């Protein structure tokens, strides 16, 4: 019995396991029908979208594709089947269960539930296919006759657009040609190409397309040959339309339609044969030929020949072959007038005059940049006082320019070269003596040179007094040209030695031009420090550290918090003076640091400015000559504000004069080494209200003698010992 029971139970369990799947389908009939209905709704929305897309395409003359048509048919059939499955399944669910213990007709429920699941899977497959039909060209295709119609229409519209532009350009060119201008090569070629396309090539395509469309409309030809003809003509029409669009783009890129027939790229600048510049020009020209060098700065003191060197470059370009297609030379002002400079560039580029708008700097700069981008250009800027941002301020590309470019400028400041990021810098120095004499003779004229045998000898002195500065050499030579009387030459020699500013044209042509460098110094502190250097005699080497000590003593650097900061600021002043070519480096000294000196004509300018452009001749006295201590020389001391005694050669001098002199304006007196000088021409009534400083070595100051204790008491408070300073 036990075995029978065990067998029965095992058999029952096996049957239960094998019927589990069927039981799941039977129980899940309701769920499967609900899932099927959900998918049917989703499919219905997709079907409506695709059917609407197909309808819209067919409304435009397109033809539905076989894939889209087949999908729609499958969806319609599947929807009917799914609806039937759902209806039958719901009927089965409505039937009562068997005695309340289970479902009636379990086999039918099983089959219906399984069918619902299969229909749901079919719908999911169709849904995935339907998602691909999201664009018009996925559900329909454009017939060749419609494509041809569209292509011909687009070509015709583009033709009309180009025709209007062509007529406008042609009319403007002809109008400007009536004003003696000529059309540029680019415009001439563009007009020829457009005329050929509009009159011949485009017309032929439109004519062929029209004939083919007539055949299609008449139904004369409906075979594959007609299809191929339509396709070929459509393709040609699209290609020509693209070409017409390109020509319209070319027109928008024209910066000029015409140009003056006598407007060459560069014109020769009239120059007399430059003297002493061959080696400098050869170096600069090598940089010009080096395409990796984009920006060249030529710097040096005023009147040294920077402009002459610059002008040789465009003249040399006229002698060689090159591929530059834009060149401009401008002389700048102080301060730089960016609007005027941009206007010159705009006009040279022949940009439309009616589009120039200086108030809209951004668009103006952009227009220049756009025009310059495809050019190989040369830009020569003479007398640049301040650095400018070529790209931002003017629209001129430089180091990042894709084509060839060369920007060459002159300036008096090495700092401008640095701020302009010049790839190469060339300092122009004064001429060597032989070249200076040759330049003087060239400007003087051979007739004057040989007028008297004594003239060449005096000329040597004049050249030396000009300190080999080309501007001064030219000014003096032109003043003496035609002067043949030897006495006049001797008087000129004396006059130039004594008072440079009063020599013919020297003030206007030399000193005022050199003064520009002084005027460009950053602030009044720099200017006062520079003018103070006039107390040093000609050709004297100045130790920077010593001069800074004197500046501190004068109170020029009082804005600094301490002596260390003042010395640092003083060094910065000297750096600015060197960069402005107002002083030049001589050598480095281990004891006194850097040594500088002023060119004699720069010093003359310095004195001239300090003396209020020569109106107060005796404001500063730098005494070096014995004659200065004679009575006639001493008379001019009374008006002096600063007296500087450089008496190295008078080391036995004990007194300047026998009696004290009045000094109503004297502020300072300095004495260089003169150990036996024991008396100064001062008493308690002279300069007591104005004198601030008596400078000298400590030992010398302690040995001074005074007429009375009162004088000693007054002036002892003015002593400034500079024992560690070499020059006083």
């Amino acid at each position: 019995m036990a075995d029978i029971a065990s067998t029965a139970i095992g058999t029952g369990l096996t049957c239960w396991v094998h019927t589990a799947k069927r039981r799941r389908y039977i129980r899940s009939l309701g769920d499967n029908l609900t899932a099927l209905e959900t998918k049917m709704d989703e499919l219905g929305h997709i079907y409506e979208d695709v059917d609407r897309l197909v309808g819209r395409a067919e409304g435009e003359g397109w033809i539905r594709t076989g894939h889209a048509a087949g999908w729609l048919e499958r969806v319609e059939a599947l929807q009917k089947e799914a609806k039937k499955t759902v209806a039958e399944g719901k009927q089965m669910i409505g039937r009562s269960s068997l005695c309340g213990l289970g479902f009636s007709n379990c086999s039918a429920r099983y089959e219906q539930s399984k069918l619902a699941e299969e229909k749901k899977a079919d719908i999911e497959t169709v849904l995935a296919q339907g998602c691909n039909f999201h664009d018009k060209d996925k559900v329909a295709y454009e017939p060749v006759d419609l494509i041809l119609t569209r292509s011909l229409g687009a070509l015709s519209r583009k033709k009309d657009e180009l025709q209007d532009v062509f007529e406008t350009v042609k009319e403007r060119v002809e109008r400007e040609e009536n004003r003696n201008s000529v059309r540029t090569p680019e415009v001439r070629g563009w007009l020829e190409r457009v005329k050929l396309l509009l009159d011949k090539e485009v017309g032929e395509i439109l004519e062929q397309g029209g004939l083919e469309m007539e055949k299609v409309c008449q139904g004369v030809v409906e075979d594959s040959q007609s299809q191929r003809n339509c396709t070929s003509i459509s393709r040609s029409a699209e290609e020509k339309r693209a070409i017409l669009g390109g020509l319209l783009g070319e027109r928008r890129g024209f910066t000029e339609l015409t140009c003056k027939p006598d407007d060459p790229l560069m014109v020769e600048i009239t120059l007399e044969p430059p003297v002493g510049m061959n080696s400098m020009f050869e170096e600069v020209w090598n940089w010009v030929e080096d395409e990796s060098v984009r920006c060249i700065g030529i710097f040096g003191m005023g009147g040294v020949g920077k402009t002459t060197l610059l002008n040789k470059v465009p003249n040399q370009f006229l002698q060689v072959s090159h591929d530059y297609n834009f060149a401009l030379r401008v002389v700048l002002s102080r301060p730089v007038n960016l609007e005027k400079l941009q206007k010159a560039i705009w006009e040279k580029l022949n940009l439309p005059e009616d589009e120039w708008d200086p108030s809209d700097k951004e668009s103006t700069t952009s227009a220049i940049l756009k025009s310059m981008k495809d050019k190989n250009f040369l830009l020569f800027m003479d007398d640049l006082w301040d650095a400018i941002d070529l790209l931002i301020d003017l629209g001129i590309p430089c180091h990042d320019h894709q084509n060839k470019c060369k920007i060459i400028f002159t300036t008096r400041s090495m700092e401008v070269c640095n701020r302009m990021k010049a790839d190469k810098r060339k300092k122009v120095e004064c001429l060597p003596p032989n070249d200076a004499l040759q330049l003087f003779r060239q400007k003087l004229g051979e007739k004057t040179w040989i007028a008297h045998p004594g003239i060449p000898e005096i000329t040597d002195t004049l050249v030396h007094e000009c300190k080999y500065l080309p501007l001064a050499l030219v000014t003096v030579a032109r003043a003496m040209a035609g002067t043949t009387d030897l006495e006049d030459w001797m008087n000129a020699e004396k006059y130039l030695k004594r008072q440079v500013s009063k020599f013919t044209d020297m003030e206007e042509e030399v000193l005022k031009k050199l003064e520009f460098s002084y005027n460009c110094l950053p602030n009044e502190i720099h200017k006062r420090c520079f003018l103070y250097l006039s107390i040093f005699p000609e050709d004297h080497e100045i130790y920077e550290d010593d001069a800074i000590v004197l500046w501190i003593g004068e109170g020029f650097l009082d804005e600094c918090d301490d002596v260390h900061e003042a010395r640092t600021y003083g060094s910065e002043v000297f750096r600015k003076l060197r960069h402005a070519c107002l002083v030049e480096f001589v050598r480095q000294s281990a004891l006194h640091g850097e040594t500088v000196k002023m060119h004699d004509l720069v010093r003359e300018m310095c004195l001239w400015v300090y003396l209020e452009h020569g109106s107060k001749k005796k404001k500063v006295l730098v005494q070096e000559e014995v004659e200065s201590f004679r009575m006639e020389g001493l008379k001019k001391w009374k008006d002096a504000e600063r007296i500087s005694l450089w008496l190295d050669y008078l080391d036995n001098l004990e007194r300047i004069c026998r009696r004290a002199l009045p000094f109503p304006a004297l502020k300072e007196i300095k004495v260089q080494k003169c150990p036996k000088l024991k008396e100064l021409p001062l008493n308690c009534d002279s300069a007591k209200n104005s004198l601030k400083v008596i400078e000298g070595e400590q030992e010398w100051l302690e040995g001074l003698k005074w007429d009375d204790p009162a004088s000693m008491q007054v002036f002892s408070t003015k002593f400034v010992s500079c024992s560690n300073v070499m020059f006083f």
Side-chain angles (χ1 to χ4, degrees):
M1 266 322 264
D3 291 340
I4 295 173
S6 175
T7 301
I9 292 171
T11 302
L13 290 173
T14 300
C15 291
W16 181 263
V17 171
H18 285 300
T19 59
K21 185 176 181 180
R22 294 176 66 87
R23 291 196 309 274
R24 180 176 62 79
Y25 272 117
I26 293 170
R27 287 194 303 271
S28 301
L29 176 59
D31 294 338
N32 287 344
L33 291 176
T34 300
L36 177 58
E37 285 182 310
T38 300
K39 287 298 177 182
M40 287 172 62
D41 291 340
E42 186 178 347
L43 179 61
H45 293 311
I46 297 295
Y47 175 86
E48 290 175 358
D49 291 341
V50 175
D51 188 58
R52 190 182 304 111
L53 191 61
V54 170
R56 189 182 304 123
E58 290 179 333
E60 296 174 4
W62 289 41
I63 302 172
R64 70 174 66 186
T65 64
H67 290 299
W71 184 84
L72 290 171
E73 292 174 359
R74 286 196 299 276
V75 169
E76 292 171 357
L78 188 57
Q79 285 177 324
K80 292 179 181 179
E81 295 172 2
K83 287 179 181 179
K84 181 181 178 181
T85 301
V86 170
E88 292 176 351
K90 286 183 177 180
Q91 288 178 359
M92 291 183 182
I93 292 175
R95 295 173 186 167
S96 59
S97 59
L98 181 61
C99 301
L101 300 176
F103 297 114
S104 63
N105 197 357
C106 290
S107 178
R109 289 176 68 93
Y110 163 75
E111 293 295 337
Q112 197 66 26
S113 179
K114 184 176 180 183
L115 181 61
E117 189 177 75
E118 291 173 352
K119 291 302 177 184
K120 174 176 169 290
D122 292 342
I123 289 176
E124 289 175 343
T125 301
V126 173
L127 277 172
Q129 295 171 349
C131 290
N132 295 325
F133 301 126
H134 50 76
D135 292 325
K136 182 171 68 172
D137 58 355
K138 298 292 185 180
V139 300
Y141 63 90
E142 191 176 15
V144 292
D145 59 326
L146 193 59
I147 294 175
L148 180 58
T149 301
R150 177 174 50 78
S151 299
L152 293 177
L155 177 61
S156 180
R157 289 190 296 273
K158 189 63 71 174
K159 172 181 176 292
D160 293 340
E161 181 183 357
L162 183 59
Q163 184 76 50
D164 290 341
V165 174
F166 173 81
E167 295 298 337
T168 301
V169 172
K170 182 181 177 183
E171 179 183 350
R172 180 175 167 184
V173 167
E174 290 174 349
R175 184 171 61 250
E176 293 182 9
E177 285 177 334
N178 291 332
R179 300 173 183 169
N180 299 320
S181 294
V182 295
R183 61 187 69 186
T184 65
E186 293 85 357
V187 171
R188 181 185 300 108
W190 184 85
L191 289 172
E192 291 172 355
R193 292 198 307 276
V194 171
K195 183 174 176 58
L196 176 63
L197 276 167
L198 295 180
D199 292 350
K200 190 175 189 306
E201 298 178 15
V202 174
E204 289 177 354
I205 292 175
L206 292 175
E207 183 180 358
Q208 292 174 2
L211 293 174
E212 198 65 36
M213 286 303 302
E214 288 181 7
K215 295 179 182 179
V216 172
C217 292
Q218 295 172 3
V220 175
V221 180
E222 297 182 355
D223 57 12
S224 59
Q225 182 61 46
S226 176
Q227 300 284 325
R228 286 193 295 270
N229 290 344
C230 289
T231 302
S232 176
I233 296 172
S234 297
R235 187 179 299 112
S236 298
E238 290 297 323
E239 291 172 354
K240 289 301 178 188
R241 187 174 67 86
I243 293 173
L244 298 186
L247 289 169
L248 285 169
E250 282 186 39
R251 166 61 188 98
R252 288 189 290 271
F254 290 151
T255 58
E256 56 190 32
L257 299 179
T258 61
C259 61
K260 297 294 183 183
D262 57 348
D263 186 20
L265 183 67
M266 287 177 279
V267 296
E268 185 172 6
I269 302 170
T270 303
L271 293 175
E272 293 188 24
V275 176
M277 286 194 170
N278 289 340
S279 61
M280 284 190 292
F281 176 73
E282 184 177 347
E283 183 177 8
V284 172
W285 185 253
N286 286 336
W287 296 339
V288 171
E289 291 183 316
D290 185 351
E291 292 188 13
S292 66
V293 177
R294 297 293 185 97
C295 187
I296 301 172
I298 300 172
F299 72 100
M301 65 180 290
V304 80
K306 304 181 295 295
T307 298
T308 301
L309 180 59
L310 176 70
N311 288 342
K312 280 178 64 67
V313 177
N315 282 1
Q316 182 66 21
F317 267 110
L318 296 174
Q319 310 300 322
V320 299
S321 60
H322 60 83
D323 56 355
Y324 289 96
N325 49 23
F326 176 86
L328 176 64
R329 180 184 179 276
V330 291
V331 179
L332 303 174
S333 59
R334 166 73 177 181
V336 178
N337 188 329
L338 293 175
E339 180 181 326
K340 182 179 179 181
L341 181 52
Q342 268 200 323
K343 179 67 171 176
I345 297 170
W346 186 280
E347 292 175 349
K348 184 68 176 180
L349 288 168
N350 288 310
L351 294 173
E353 186 174 350
D354 57 353
E355 294 180 13
W356 165 257
D357 182 7
S359 63
D360 189 354
K361 182 174 176 59
E362 184 176 351
S363 63
T364 301
T365 302
S366 298
I368 291 176
L369 177 60
K370 181 179 179 181
S371 179
M372 294 292 287
K373 275 187 174 180
D374 61 347
K375 295 189 184 309
N376 297 331
F377 69 86
L378 296 163
L379 178 60
F380 304 96
M381 296 186 293
D382 191 20
D383 214 13
L384 182 62
W385 288 92
D386 299 295
I388 55 180
D389 191 315
L390 294 170
L391 183 62
I392 301 299
D393 294 335
L394 302 177
I396 299 292
C398 182
H399 290 90
D400 296 331
H401 189 45
Q402 299 301 315
N403 295 336
K404 290 173 62 176
C405 74
K406 201 74 60 175
I407 296 164
I408 310 175
F409 63 89
T410 67
T411 179
R412 298 191 188 187
S413 171
M414 184 174 68
E415 187 168 353
V416 171
C417 290
N418 296 336
R419 292 173 59 196
M420 288 292 291
K421 300 178 183 178
D423 299 313
K424 296 291 183 180
R425 304 165 180 81
K426 181 62 184 177
K427 183 177 182 181
V428 182
E429 308 278 4
C430 290
L431 294 173
N434 290 338
D435 290 334
L437 182 61
Q438 182 184 345
L439 176 62
F440 190 96
R441 182 173 179 176
Q442 181 189 92
K443 300 299 181 181
L444 182 69
E446 199 64 23
K447 185 176 180 180
T448 304
W449 178 265
I450 63 175
H452 192 284
I455 290 178
E457 182 178 350
I458 297 176
T459 297
D460 285 339
T461 304
L462 297 182
V463 169
H464 176 73
E465 290 300 321
C466 291
K467 302 305 175 185
Y468 317 116
L469 181 68
L471 178 62
L473 292 167
V474 171
T475 301
V476 174
R478 286 175 176 168
M480 298 305 296
T483 303
T484 57
D485 191 318
L486 186 62
E487 186 175 350
D488 291 338
W489 277 85
M490 295 172 68
N491 290 335
E493 178 184 9
K494 293 177 183 178
Y495 207 49
L496 190 59
K497 282 184 176 181
R498 290 182 178 178
Q499 199 167 9
V500 170
S501 63
K502 296 305 178 183
F503 194 91
T504 305
D505 293 334
M506 283 295 283
E507 181 175 310
E508 195 67 31
E509 295 296 328
V510 178
L511 297 183
K512 285 189 176 180
K513 292 181 178 179
L514 293 177
E515 188 188 9
F516 282 130
S517 297
Y518 163 80
N519 290 334
C520 290
L521 290 174
N523 53 49
E524 289 302 316
I525 295 177
H526 287 69
K527 291 178 180 179
R528 288 199 296 269
C529 289
F530 170 69
L531 294 179
Y532 186 84
L533 299 181
S534 62
I535 68 169
F536 295 95
E538 289 186 5
D539 297 321
H540 203 88
E541 295 183 3
I542 305 169
Y543 291 104
E544 287 190 4
D545 290 347
D546 297 346
I548 292 171
V549 170
L550 297 178
W551 290 344
I552 294 173
E554 288 291 335
F556 295 159
L557 308 179
D558 283 352
E559 293 183 7
C560 299
D561 293 335
D562 52 43
V563 173
H564 176 73
E565 183 180 336
R567 287 181 179 274
T568 302
Y569 191 84
S571 298
E572 175 64 17
V573 171
F574 264 114
R575 188 181 72 83
K576 292 287 186 182
L577 295 179
R578 287 197 304 273
H579 284 180
C581 297
L582 290 172
V583 300
E584 55 189 47
F585 174 80
V586 178
R587 62 175 173 269
Q588 181 81 23
S589 168
L591 181 60
H592 297 285
E594 292 188 354
T595 305
V596 299
K597 65 184 297 186
M598 282 197 290
H599 188 278
D600 286 357
L601 285 177
V602 173
R603 181 180 176 275
E604 287 291 340
M605 178 272 291
C606 182
L607 274 171
W608 177 70
V609 173
Y610 191 79
L611 300 178
E612 299 178 25
H613 299 96
S615 63
K616 293 187 177 181
K617 302 176 185 176
K618 302 169 186 176
K619 191 175 179 180
V620 176
L621 293 177
V622 182
Q623 302 294 354
E624 302 177 87
E625 301 175 355
V626 176
E627 288 78 2
S628 301
F629 301 103
R630 295 172 182 165
M631 187 53 62
E632 299 126 2
L634 290 173
K635 288 180 180 178
K636 60 186 179 182
W637 284 42
K638 64 179 182 178
D639 297 322
E641 292 183 7
R642 298 183 187 276
I643 297 176
S644 180
L645 305 179
W646 298 80
L647 308 174
D648 291 32
Y649 64 95
L650 294 176
D651 53 1
N652 292 317
L653 182 69
E654 295 184 2
R655 67 169 62 175
I656 294 172
C657 60
R658 293 185 177 275
R659 59 183 175 84
L661 299 174
F663 293 101
L666 185 63
K667 296 179 180 178
E668 180 179 5
I669 184 168
K670 300 178 184 291
V671 180
Q672 190 194 3
K673 294 177 181 179
C674 193
K676 293 186 179 181
L677 178 64
K678 299 300 182 182
E679 297 181 25
L680 295 176
L682 301 170
N683 62 27
C684 61
D685 295 322
S686 55
K688 64 180 181 180
N689 295 322
S690 60
L691 186 63
K692 294 181 178 180
V693 175
I694 300 175
E695 288 192 9
E697 295 177 350
Q698 182 66 37
E699 184 178 353
W700 173 78
L701 291 170
E702 292 173 353
L704 283 176
K705 297 179 180 179
W706 303 94
D707 290 343
D708 53 74
S711 296
M712 180 177 180
Q713 184 177 0
V714 169
F715 293 110
S716 61
T717 59
K718 313 293 184 181
F719 290 170
V720 174
S721 174
C722 296
S723 301
N724 296 324
V725 179
M726 184 173 181
F727 302 112
F728 303 90

